[in-house]
C-alpha cells in the first residue's frame, strides 16, 4: 500500500493506479467531470474549446485537461479539445509532445548518436595493439 498526502487537500489516502487524490477530492473531480460531460453532450457545445468549457461550467482548466489526458473524452468527437505539449505548450490532441518538438528531439538524438559513433571510431583508430614474441 502506498500511503500519501492528497495533492489537493493534503489529507492521507492510499494511492493506487486508479486514483491520484483522496476519496473526497475524487468525488469532487467526478462531479466536475459529470458537469463537463453533460455540457459537451449537447450538439451545439461539441465544437467548444477548453476555455469556453471552463467559462460555461466553472470547472478549472487543469481539471478538464486532466480528463482529456486520461482519455475520458474522445477527441474525435470534440474537434477543438486538446492539451498542451509537455515541451513547448502548443495545443496537441495525442501523445505528450507536438510534432515540431518530436522532430527537434529526434534531431538531437541523431546528433548524439553521430557524436558517439565519431568517438568510437576515434578510439578504434588510436587503439594500440601489442603482440607477444616468443
Amino acid at each position: 500500500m502506498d500511503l500519501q498526502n492528497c495533492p489537493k487537500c493534503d489529507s492521507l489516502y492510499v494511492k493506487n493506479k486508479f486514483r491520484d487524490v483522496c476519496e473526497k477530492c475524487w468525488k469532487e473531480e467526478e462531479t466536475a467531470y459529470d458537469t463537463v460531460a453533460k455540457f459537451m453532450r449537447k450538439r451545439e457545445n461539441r465544437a467548444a474549446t477548453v476555455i469556453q468549457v471552463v467559462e460555461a461550467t466553472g470547472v478549472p482548466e487543469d481539471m478538464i485537461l486532466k480528463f482529456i489526458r486520461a482519455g475520458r473524452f474522445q477527441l474525435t468527437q470534440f474537434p477543438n479539445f486538446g492539451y498542451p505539449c509537455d515541451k513547448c505548450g502548443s495545443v496537441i490532441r495525442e501523445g505528450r509532445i507536438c510534432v515540431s518538438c518530436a522532430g527537434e528531439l529526434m534531431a538531437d538524438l541523431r546528433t548524439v548518436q553521430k557524436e558517439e559513433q565519431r568517438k568510437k571510431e576515434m578510439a578504434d583508430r588510436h587503439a594500440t595493439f601489442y603482440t607477444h614474441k616468443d
Side-chain angles (χ1 to χ4, degrees):
M1 292 189 350
D2 191 11
L3 193 61
Q4 292 192 0
N5 289 82
C6 176
K8 288 187 165 194
C9 70
D10 210 34
S11 66
L12 285 175
Y13 78 106
V14 177
K15 183 175 180 174
N16 61 41
K17 63 181 178 179
F18 302 109
R19 293 191 191 157
D20 59 354
V21 292
C22 71
E23 181 76 15
K24 180 178 127 291
C25 292
W26 178 78
K27 286 180 180 178
E28 289 174 5
E29 284 186 2
E30 287 304 299
T31 300
Y33 173 77
D34 291 340
T35 300
V36 173
K38 183 178 178 182
F39 177 80
M40 295 306 293
R41 270 188 230 116
K42 295 180 182 174
R43 183 173 298 260
E44 65 269 16
N45 296 334
R46 290 189 182 161
T49 64
V50 172
I51 299 301
Q52 290 169 329
V53 176
V54 169
E55 291 170 357
T57 64
V59 174
E61 181 179 4
D62 63 330
M63 195 171 296
I64 295 171
L65 295 176
K66 181 179 179 179
F67 300 148
I68 294 171
R69 281 191 176 110
R72 296 188 73 180
F73 290 105
Q74 295 295 324
L75 295 184
T76 56
Q77 296 176 3
F78 309 112
N80 295 321
F81 259 22
Y83 50 91
C85 166
D86 284 354
K87 189 168 186 275
C88 72
S90 64
V91 177
I92 57 175
R93 296 177 52 83
E94 62 182 340
R96 297 198 54 182
I97 58 175
C98 66
V99 173
S100 176
C101 290
E104 287 177 22
L105 287 173
M106 290 303 292
D108 291 346
L109 181 59
R110 282 190 293 275
T111 300
V112 168
Q113 288 173 332
K114 285 179 184 176
E115 181 62 20
E116 290 296 319
Q117 182 64 30
R118 187 188 69 76
K119 284 180 182 178
K120 183 180 181 296
E121 289 171 1
M122 291 295 289
D124 289 348
R125 269 190 233 148
H126 295 303
T128 305
F129 296 97
Y130 297 96
T131 59
H132 179 65
K133 287 188 176 185
D134 288 334

